[in-house]
Amino acid sequence: TLCWCASAQKTEAITDEAKVPAYTLPAVLALKSGQPVTDAKSWTTKRRPEILAIYEAEVYGKSPARPPKLNYEVKSVEKQALGGKATRKIVTIFFSDKPDAPKMDLLLYLPAAAAKPAPVILGLSFGGIHTVANDPGVPLAEQWTRDNRKQPSAEKSRGGEASRWQVEKILAAGYGLATVYYEQIEPDFAGGMKYGIRPLFFKPGQTEPEPGDWGAVAAWAWGASRAMDYLEKDKDVDARRVGLIGHSRLGKAAIWAGAQDARFTFIISNESGEGGAAISRRDYGERTTALNTRFPHWFDGNYKKYNDRENEMPFDSHMALALMAPRGLYVASAEGDQWSDPKGEFLGAANASPVWELFGKKGIGTMTMPDLHEPVGDSVRYHIRAGKHDVTEYDWEQYLKFAKAQWGR
Ligand code: GCU
């Protein structure tokens, strides 16, 4: 259902383009002082840190530094996985030395037929690593119920998200696929925080996040960076060629991970919507109030200041997306997913593009929303496809072409 209608009129979703208010975006290429940014060096040394600091303070919250060392254990290696098409590794990554602290399992498929080290696409998964392919060798993840219980996944959920991952296509392109299950980083419900990694970083006596502290989206992003820490250690992985994909709420997390962690050579933000790639000032589809009310645990407490006040944001999504420059950025939408505001996602990517041009790269290259199934752009790419909120085979076909262009193989 599109309309999550709260009492206040303003939180109602607009789905009529004619009702989008007039707005002015904050300039991506001007310092807070007003001074224009006209070259890559001032972007990198001055404007980029300003924007990163705004997003840390006001949106996603400040994440802890990279831990000094990574504790991990390779649980299994199977050279004949997926009918001989892949080597499969399962690796447990520990977030703390404490025995009952959260840990996550990373599933890595590497193409049997391709040279190693192989480039890898890393993705955060909604359903658990056993849902990514119909592979009986992957243990069933434990799932969190929305009322605080952990329970084993049902066998029938194995491979349940296979269409969202397209493992065989990825392997055939010569790439590996790595996934981690986001709820092993922090379970996704209000109150789930205490079962996730955020409390590991509380000050003595702290039990709740303070304004400015990181939210769940930032925690998931941080977990993706810890997965990257492992990929850097695996000799079968070409760690200079790792891209990150996320869908929806995990597309928001992918943007924030890519913004902070330059080891990701590209980011794919699939239907990330509000709090992701979509321009907030359009008030179209999901709005800030709806996001903060239904998912109070996702963002920094300061983000709630902007409920019904999108126009007062000292940022908008084009600025978050610009933090990827000059690396690759792919933003994608679905026609049936008006809640995510496809046009707003396009405009986020298009208005970020001038930053790539400072580096001599091409961005989206047009301010006109393309038709269905007509991908546009170069280092920044965008498409909208028919169908619902999902990740499909069509999406992956585009992403694999993009990866090839980015990685030069
Ligand atoms: C909800 C939410 C979106 C989010 C989506 C998802 O629809 O309102 O912001 O992107 O869930 O993660 O599927």
Side-chain angles (χ1 to χ4, degrees):
T1 56
L2 192 58
C3 184
W4 175 77
C5 297
S7 47
Q9 187 74 8
K10 278 180 160 177
T11 59
E12 278 179 25
I14 298 175
T15 53
D16 176 357
E17 191 61 33
K19 293 200 177 126
V20 170
Y23 61 86
T24 307
L25 291 179
V28 64
L29 287 178
L31 298 180
K32 276 184 176 169
S33 65
Q35 198 192 325
V37 173
T38 53
D39 59 276
K41 184 161 177 252
S42 8
W43 165 261
T44 306
T45 60
K46 295 188 184 136
R47 183 56 172 155
R48 190 179 192 285
E50 275 186 3
I51 297 176
L52 203 56
I54 293 172
Y55 270 85
E56 279 179 337
E58 308 284 319
V59 185
Y60 301 110
K62 181 133 177 73
S63 299
R66 178 176 177 173
K69 80 177 210 313
L70 181 76
N71 280 320
Y72 68 95
E73 190 185 322
V74 179
K75 289 275 207 213
S76 66
V77 178
E78 169 57 64
K79 296 211 162 150
Q80 294 298 322
L82 301 177
K85 291 199 179 83
T87 295
R88 179 192 63 229
K89 300 188 189 185
I90 297 177
V91 180
T92 301
I93 294 170
F94 301 91
F95 294 116
S96 159
D97 295 335
K98 293 183 197 135
D100 54 354
K103 52 185 192 238
M104 71 179 175
D105 297 314
L106 177 134
L107 168 67
L108 175 62
Y109 289 115
L110 291 161
K116 302 210 187 25
V120 167
I121 300 180
L122 169 67
L124 291 159
S125 108
F126 266 96
I129 59 173
H130 66 284
T131 64
V132 166
N134 210 330
D135 179 351
V138 180
L140 296 171
E142 286 189 305
Q143 303 275 344
W144 283 93
T145 62
R146 291 309 75 152
D147 58 352
N148 277 14
R149 287 170 299 116
K150 223 183 196 182
Q151 61 181 32
S153 296
E155 177 60 37
K156 69 173 190 317
S157 63
R158 184 182 300 288
E161 298 200 337
S163 65
R164 285 191 171 183
W165 293 99
Q166 302 288 332
V167 179
E168 302 219 342
K169 273 205 156 60
I170 297 170
L171 294 169
Y175 307 143
L177 173 68
T179 47
V180 291
Y181 173 35
Y182 84 126
E183 294 206 89
Q184 288 188 330
I185 305 166
E186 176 171 322
D188 187 7
F189 51 89
M193 181 205 66
K194 57 178 184 287
Y195 309 103
I197 59 172
R198 283 193 279 160
L200 297 173
F201 300 92
F202 278 164
K203 289 177 269 187
Q206 188 180 358
T207 55
E208 289 297 326
E210 289 166 10
D213 284 352
W214 57 335
V217 170
W220 301 325
W222 196 84
S225 284
R226 305 294 68 82
M228 181 69 206
D229 296 346
Y230 168 75
L231 295 175
E232 278 190 320
K233 291 188 186 296
D234 190 319
K235 290 194 177 55
D236 293 334
V237 173
D238 180 352
R240 288 161 313 143
R241 291 189 174 90
V242 176
L244 178 66
I245 182 169
H247 167 57
S248 209
R249 68 199 65 186
L250 301 177
K252 308 182 211 292
I255 292 170
W256 188 228
Q260 298 173 95
D261 192 335
R263 292 174 297 174
F264 295 118
T265 51
F266 62 74
I267 287 292
I268 301 167
S269 167
N270 193 86
E271 298 156 33
S272 58
E274 189 67 33
I279 296 286
S280 297
R281 279 171 172 75
R282 282 170 46 77
D283 298 352
Y284 189 102
E286 184 171 30
R287 292 195 58 190
T288 310
T289 305
L291 190 58
N292 278 327
T293 310
R294 291 169 70 220
F295 307 102
H297 54 297
W298 282 3
F299 292 86
D300 170 351
N302 287 329
Y303 194 50
K304 300 190 173 59
K305 288 193 301 209
Y306 301 104
N307 285 355
D308 287 338
R309 294 171 180 271
E310 287 88 344
N311 255 318
E312 292 169 31
M313 291 174 165
F315 55 85
D316 214 320
S317 67
H318 62 311
M319 290 163 63
L321 294 173
L323 295 170
M324 281 306 299
R327 292 165 290 145
L329 170 67
Y330 205 125
V331 172
S333 311
E335 189 190 24
D337 179 26
Q338 294 296 316
W339 183 241
S340 297
D341 186 9
K343 187 164 182 196
E345 294 177 319
F346 167 75
L347 289 172
N351 283 290
S353 290
V355 179
W356 273 262
E357 287 157 21
L358 293 183
F359 290 87
K361 300 208 165 192
K362 291 192 200 122
I364 292 281
T366 172
M367 291 304 279
T368 308
M369 174 85 176
D371 288 338
L372 296 182
H373 312 121
E374 297 286 352
V376 286
D378 188 2
S379 292
V380 185
R381 267 179 93 71
Y382 174 84
H383 74 247
I384 178 167
R385 60 158 172 80
K388 64 177 173 61
H389 187 61
D390 198 1
V391 193
T392 66
E393 188 173 5
Y394 173 84
D395 295 322
W396 273 106
E397 282 162 4
Q398 314 319 312
Y399 299 154
L400 291 172
K401 276 186 220 160
F402 180 66
K404 194 171 176 203
Q406 290 295 308
W407 287 332
R409 55 199 258 182

